[in-house]
Amino acid sequence: MSSCHVPSSAKRDDKADLVVALAGNANVGKSTLFNQLTGLHQHVGNWPGKTVEKFEGSLVVDGYKIDVIDLPGIYSLSTFSIEELISREHIVLEKPDVVINVVDASVLERNLFFTLQLLELQTPIVIALNMVDLAEDRGLSVDEKKLSEILGVPIVPTIASKGIGVYELIRQAINVAERKTKLRPMNVKYGKDVEERIEKLTELIKNGDLHYPPRFVAVKLLEGDEDIKKKVDKKVVEAAEKFAKEIEEIRGIPVPIVIASERYAIISRIIKESRKILAPSKIGLVEKVDQLLTHKILGYLIMTIVFFSSFYAIFTFGDYVSTILSAAFETLKPSIVNITGEILWEGFFGGFVAGVTLLLPFVLPFYLLLSILEDTGYLPRVAFLLDNVMHKVGLHGKAIIPLIMGYACNVPACYACRIMDTQRERLISAFAVTFIPCAARIIVVYGLVGAFVGIEWAYALLLINLAIIMGMARLAFKVCPGESMGLIIEVPPLRLPTMRVVLTQTWNSIKSIMYVVFPIYIIGGGILAALYSFNVLQPVEELLTPLTVEWLGLPTYAGIPLLFGVVRKEMVIIMPAILFGTTDFVSMFTPLQMLTLAFVAMYYIPCAATFAMLKKEFGWKTACYITAFEVAFAILLGGLFYRSLDALF
Amino acid sequence: MDNSGAGYSEPHRHRHRQRFRGLVSLLELKNGQKGVVTLLQGNKKVIHRLSELGIVPNTVVEVINSIPFGGPVEVLVRGSRLAIGRDVAKGILLRVEEDGK
Ligand SMILES: Nc1nc2c(ncn2[C@@H]2O[C@H](COP(=O)(O)OP(=O)(O)OP(=O)(O)O)[C@@H](O)[C@H]2O)c(=O)[nH]1
Ligand SMILES: [Mg+2]
């Protein structure tokens, strides 16, 4: 073994010396650890399934340039879900120099189930025994020396959220990667009947050109792993199927359960030797609160209050800040216009002002509240409460998580639909998500309806929206073929939100929005002003009048904002604000027109970014279908909405 | 390993409950009640997933919360808390020890 301490970076300049992957169960702190290591800002939160794609970062430590890969959380190396496939393929095909297996010390048994599989995969690993603080609160004491002895791999206790143990961990990882630490990975042995057949299969596979170790392949074949089946000879698959049948006959249960049972039996023995249960120290109040939050009656009451007061807070805060900022810019405006006196400048500046006065005051509280909800662990509890409601529309409780995220922005919410277990459920929930009025649409609803027609109308629009979402999900459920699975979700511990985490998360979201959005507003505003001054847009507006004026009862100048709204929904009111130089929309629309415009803007099309996400997740065809459907839906319903309200007013 | 009574079955229309005399489904347990997993029924994938999460024959499962009218149940298994939908829960059949009542 070379003891050369000079890293090989001299040879490969920009390439990393080592690649370290973080793998483990969902919600164990992989991304928190990743952020600690790399200084980046991966999404963290207290619910399982946030990271759905691998993510890279790097750090330099002790003279090594290390690439760190954050992987999605998984419970097993089978390939039911996209996350499992991503993680497995990364570990096997890209062969990181070392895998840091992040383990939740407070749920050791279930976490070791994954560890055993990594051992079977013969990957060099180091275990990060994370959340030792939480384990201690629960009165669980893990003897990491003993555990390390049994498993034959190094173990470092960590508290990722506080950065404790992180340096030691990375040093151990380097030692393993550089082969300075010898691993003596434990052999995972099954019962005699199973073992005999694994050995026979292994013999058959040995010569095959696979990236996976033959024994791992043999076990997976017995379990009936579809992905592995495709990778081996037909004869081997047939042999495996025969063996699997024999095992099922002997044991009376299918092979995957036989294997899982035996792994858990091994783990029970390991736990017995390496973990002590002391008296739990810190339960009581949290437990009581938790019981209330998921109580069969009070739980629903609290949930309603939480969501209603969230919207109330957003509207109140947004209105307050928006008014102050508008007033501030109002005093600035005349002098600036006088200096330059140019329409174009008015457009640019108008775009900027509209962004500051309309977007920030509303988007900020949304992200703040969402981060708080995420960090407390409330979301999985809502999933529990609303499981049977979601069943009525062909989904299950987990779908509520992307739906709630959708209120901040549809784009990450569509991504989050990957937590659903089947492709069909992912599609249905993503379709439902596109109907969720994101912060941008809430701005339209508030800016037009809440501010000038009456806040109760804004709430009414949101309630109607809930009914529409349920109807749409139900429709998609009827139309989409495929299979559904029931709810199975881990309930993470409830806790008070951490200020630092919440603020960092909010700031990161807001920052990335501002980078994208302000240029769009400013350039869009400039272009709009220029086009208007050259009389380019009027013919387009004319063209749209049958739709805007005749069918929807809107003024002619509503056409262009609706077109701009395809880029970002809030443009629907930001454009008129720029054109008229004010956010006092009373001069532009009648109350009925405000209601109709807000209603149409809520549904008429997924914005450009959402479309791109739909395309990425489900392909061109599906994205186009959804878009076409929503355009038709919004126009049809918008006209009916206008007519029925017209009769009322 | 004790496999007596541990079994598996695909759902079958004409199969009656008395075939599994003495077994109750997870749905029938009251809050705070424990049972030993004996039989898993239902979709293959669902069963596989459950077994990976530690719900395998001879495992003790405790119900800690449930929502009536078709809602899910929350269970404690091997130190982890899982929320399990009704459709899934009804396929988890258990043996209830007398003192568990
Ligand atoms: N008490 C405690 N909490 C922690 C610790 N490490 C992380 N957390 C919290 O655990 C939660 C989950 O952390 P993440 O880093 O998002 O977990 P993950 O493994 O990336 O989760 P997925 O991407 O969903 O698989 C967050 O709320 C963290 O703040 C720890 O050592 N102790
Ligand atoms: Mg993560």
Side-chain angles (χ1 to χ4, degrees):
Chain A
M1 188 190 323
S2 105
S3 57
C4 172
H5 275 270
V6 184
S8 44
S9 63
K11 287 172 276 166
R12 311 173 286 167
D13 235 13
D14 50 344
K15 257 190 137 183
D17 306 315
L18 296 175
V19 179
V20 174
L22 300 170
N25 284 180
N27 209 38
V28 296
K30 297 178 298 300
S31 299
T32 309
L33 192 57
F34 176 86
N35 291 348
Q36 290 280 4
L37 287 170
T38 61
L40 294 175
H41 302 288
Q42 264 279 68
H43 182 181
V44 298
N46 191 12
W47 53 278
K50 297 159 300 277
T51 310
V52 292
E53 192 82 80
K54 64 181 181 195
F55 197 82
E56 280 190 52
S58 63
L59 84 153
V60 177
V61 64
D62 293 356
Y64 288 89
K65 184 173 180 299
I66 301 175
D67 263 359
V68 187
I69 321 279
D70 188 19
L71 293 172
I74 55 177
Y75 294 108
S76 151
L77 285 171
S78 51
T79 44
F80 290 141
S81 65
I82 312 174
E83 289 88 345
E84 283 170 346
L85 197 61
I86 291 174
S87 294
R88 180 162 109 182
E89 301 235 295
H90 177 81
I91 295 170
V92 173
L93 302 180
E94 284 165 48
K95 296 208 189 324
D97 295 295
V98 54
V99 170
I100 294 182
N101 175 206
V102 186
V103 161
D104 179 348
S106 69
V107 196
L108 197 54
E109 262 180 283
R110 222 252 341 276
N111 277 258
L112 288 181
F113 186 80
F114 180 72
T115 307
L116 287 196
Q117 294 178 69
L118 282 179
L119 292 178
E120 286 185 296
L121 205 49
Q122 295 169 5
T123 347
I125 66 172
V126 173
I127 292 179
L129 188 67
N130 197 31
M131 307 230 184
V132 281
D133 53 334
L134 207 67
E136 200 176 307
D137 289 348
R138 295 196 181 161
L140 303 169
S141 146
V142 181
D143 180 349
E144 74 263 7
K145 287 215 182 64
K146 186 85 205 170
L147 188 59
S148 161
E149 225 168 76
I150 300 172
L151 296 173
V153 297
I155 297 182
V156 182
T158 56
I159 303 175
S161 48
K162 294 190 183 134
I164 295 173
V166 174
Y167 178 64
E168 174 64 17
L169 177 68
I170 199 72
R171 278 198 29 213
Q172 290 283 0
I174 293 171
N175 283 345
V176 169
E178 294 283 28
R179 296 175 209 290
K180 284 180 201 144
T181 307
K182 263 246 153 61
L183 302 181
R184 281 185 200 79
M186 177 188 123
N187 285 322
V188 182
K189 285 256 180 251
Y190 301 96
K192 206 166 150 252
D193 50 343
V194 182
E195 223 25 82
E196 270 170 14
R197 289 171 178 84
I198 292 177
E199 267 156 38
K200 277 189 206 154
L201 261 184
T202 312
E203 277 306 311
L204 286 178
I205 299 160
K206 247 181 190 153
N207 323 323
D209 185 25
L210 279 161
H211 292 279
Y212 297 82
R215 191 182 152 90
F216 178 86
V217 175
V219 175
K220 283 291 153 198
L221 282 175
L222 286 176
E223 284 186 317
D225 188 292
E226 296 297 335
D227 184 62
I228 296 277
K229 271 188 192 169
K230 277 184 254 158
K231 294 188 163 105
V232 298
D233 222 51
K234 233 200 186 133
K235 266 196 274 168
V236 180
V237 176
E238 276 162 21
E241 277 164 2
K242 189 181 124 249
F243 289 151
K245 210 167 237 138
E246 290 170 9
I247 296 174
E248 281 179 24
E249 246 145 56
I250 300 172
R251 301 285 186 111
I253 45 177
V255 182
I257 304 184
V258 174
I259 303 270
S261 299
E262 298 222 2
R263 283 192 191 130
Y264 271 111
I266 296 170
I267 293 167
S268 296
R269 286 199 293 276
I270 298 175
I271 295 267
K272 216 174 247 164
E273 288 186 54
S274 61
R275 193 188 70 185
K276 277 205 238 11
I277 301 180
L278 316 166
S281 61
K282 269 200 210 157
I283 19 178
L285 184 64
V286 179
E287 198 125 293
K288 287 259 154 56
V289 174
D290 200 356
Q291 278 169 7
L292 283 181
L293 290 182
T294 50
H295 187 265
K296 58 190 172 196
I297 300 159
L298 293 174
Y300 291 93
L301 197 69
I302 295 172
M303 186 180 72
T304 316
I305 294 172
V306 166
F307 287 121
F308 186 79
S309 52
S310 295
F311 275 101
Y312 183 77
I314 288 165
F315 282 152
T316 319
F317 177 88
D319 182 48
Y320 183 71
V321 176
S322 179
T323 315
I324 292 179
L325 289 176
S326 301
F329 276 111
E330 209 61 40
T331 58
L332 274 177
K333 206 171 99 189
S335 61
I336 288 165
V337 173
N338 285 343
I339 294 166
T340 63
E342 275 175 45
I343 297 169
L344 209 63
W345 171 250
E346 220 175 315
F348 284 137
F349 187 65
F352 175 74
V353 172
V356 174
T357 57
L358 280 173
L359 187 77
L360 283 184
F362 287 95
V363 165
L364 187 82
F366 258 109
Y367 278 95
L368 196 64
L369 281 170
L370 185 65
S371 303
I372 293 174
L373 283 183
E374 278 193 55
D375 200 45
T376 52
Y378 189 50
L379 294 183
R381 289 167 171 81
V382 177
F384 176 73
L385 288 174
L386 292 182
D387 184 51
N388 48 359
V389 178
M390 300 309 286
H391 263 288
K392 303 246 173 350
V393 298
L395 289 169
H396 61 71
K398 258 203 251 180
I400 207 71
I401 295 176
L403 288 174
I404 291 174
M405 290 175 77
Y407 278 100
C409 178
N410 282 186
V411 179
C414 281
Y415 217 26
C417 288
R418 288 203 190 174
I419 60 165
M420 303 307 289
D421 303 292
T422 68
Q423 185 65 15
R424 178 202 202 190
E425 291 167 323
R426 279 191 279 274
L427 181 56
I428 299 174
S429 34
F431 179 65
V433 160
T434 62
F435 283 89
I436 294 274
C438 57
R441 282 175 262 184
I442 298 281
I443 293 172
V444 178
V445 171
Y446 184 79
L448 287 171
V449 177
F452 300 110
V453 185
I455 192 73
E456 65 284 359
W457 283 96
Y459 285 115
L461 282 183
L462 292 182
L463 284 179
I464 296 173
N465 173 259
L466 276 186
I468 289 181
I469 291 166
M470 298 305 266
M472 286 301 118
R474 175 97 209 154
L475 179 79
F477 174 62
K478 291 268 185 249
V479 175
C480 278
E483 53 173 353
S484 293
M485 240 170 152
L487 172 78
I488 307 175
I489 191 175
E490 197 190 355
V491 185
L494 191 69
R495 59 154 173 261
L496 282 172
T498 333
M499 227 14 180
R500 199 173 44 82
V501 175
V502 168
L503 292 180
T504 328
Q505 288 274 97
T506 311
W507 171 238
N508 288 322
S509 313
I510 297 286
K511 203 170 57 184
S512 53
I513 289 179
M514 287 198 312
Y515 284 153
V516 182
V517 160
F518 273 87
I520 295 182
Y521 288 169
I522 296 169
I523 295 167
I527 293 174
L528 183 76
L531 290 180
Y532 256 106
S533 62
F534 295 121
N535 285 336
V536 181
L537 290 178
Q538 285 77 349
V540 182
E541 278 181 350
E542 286 305 318
L543 217 66
L544 287 171
T545 47
L547 200 70
T548 49
V549 179
E550 321 249 312
W551 175 245
L552 295 170
L554 296 170
T556 324
Y557 47 78
I560 297 301
L562 280 172
L563 286 185
F564 270 90
V566 175
V567 181
R568 286 193 55 94
K569 286 294 175 68
E570 71 276 16
M571 298 289 251
V572 169
I573 63 168
I574 285 183
M575 289 293 122
I578 294 172
L579 281 180
F580 289 81
T582 173
T583 50
D584 183 1
F585 296 108
V586 176
S587 55
M588 303 170 227
F589 306 103
T590 66
L592 179 56
Q593 286 175 333
M594 289 182 186
L595 278 165
T596 314
L597 185 58
F599 184 86
V600 172
M602 278 173 97
Y603 303 103
Y604 76 112
I605 200 163
C607 73
T610 309
F611 180 86
M613 183 53 87
L614 287 174
K615 196 215 105 201
K616 178 167 183 275
E617 293 294 285
F618 305 102
W620 274 109
K621 223 170 92 185
T622 311
C624 288
Y625 277 144
I626 292 179
T627 307
F629 176 83
E630 287 180 8
V631 171
F633 175 85
I635 291 173
L636 181 73
L637 229 68
L640 297 177
F641 181 80
Y642 159 64
R643 280 173 178 68
S644 48
L645 279 187
D646 196 25
L648 268 174
F649 267 91
Chain B
M1 204 176 158
D2 168 35
N3 266 329
S4 59
Y8 158 86
S9 127
E10 287 282 353
H12 235 280
R13 243 173 277 132
H14 56 260
R15 211 168 248 177
H16 294 297
R17 173 155 298 150
Q18 52 263 47
R19 251 204 78 138
F20 313 119
R21 200 183 296 278
L23 298 188
V24 294
S25 92
L26 192 57
L27 288 181
E28 291 162 75
L29 294 198
K30 294 187 196 68
N31 289 355
Q33 215 177 358
K34 287 181 191 169
V36 180
V37 178
T38 308
L39 194 77
L40 297 169
Q41 290 182 318
N43 177 304
K44 252 196 182 143
K45 275 189 188 174
V46 176
I47 293 178
H48 194 163
R49 170 74 352 133
L50 287 174
S51 70
E52 291 173 344
L53 291 170
I55 301 185
V56 289
N58 297 315
T59 306
V60 178
V61 175
E62 179 184 349
V63 171
I64 51 178
N65 195 2
S66 57
I67 300 289
F69 310 117
V73 291
E74 195 179 343
V75 300
L76 206 57
V77 56
R78 298 182 189 273
S80 81
R81 276 170 72 179
L82 298 175
I84 298 179
R86 192 139 282 237
D87 299 343
V88 180
K90 72 168 182 254
I92 302 174
L93 299 184
L94 314 117
R95 202 169 57 230
V96 180
E97 248 94 279
E98 283 312 309
D99 54 357
K101 286 201 174 179

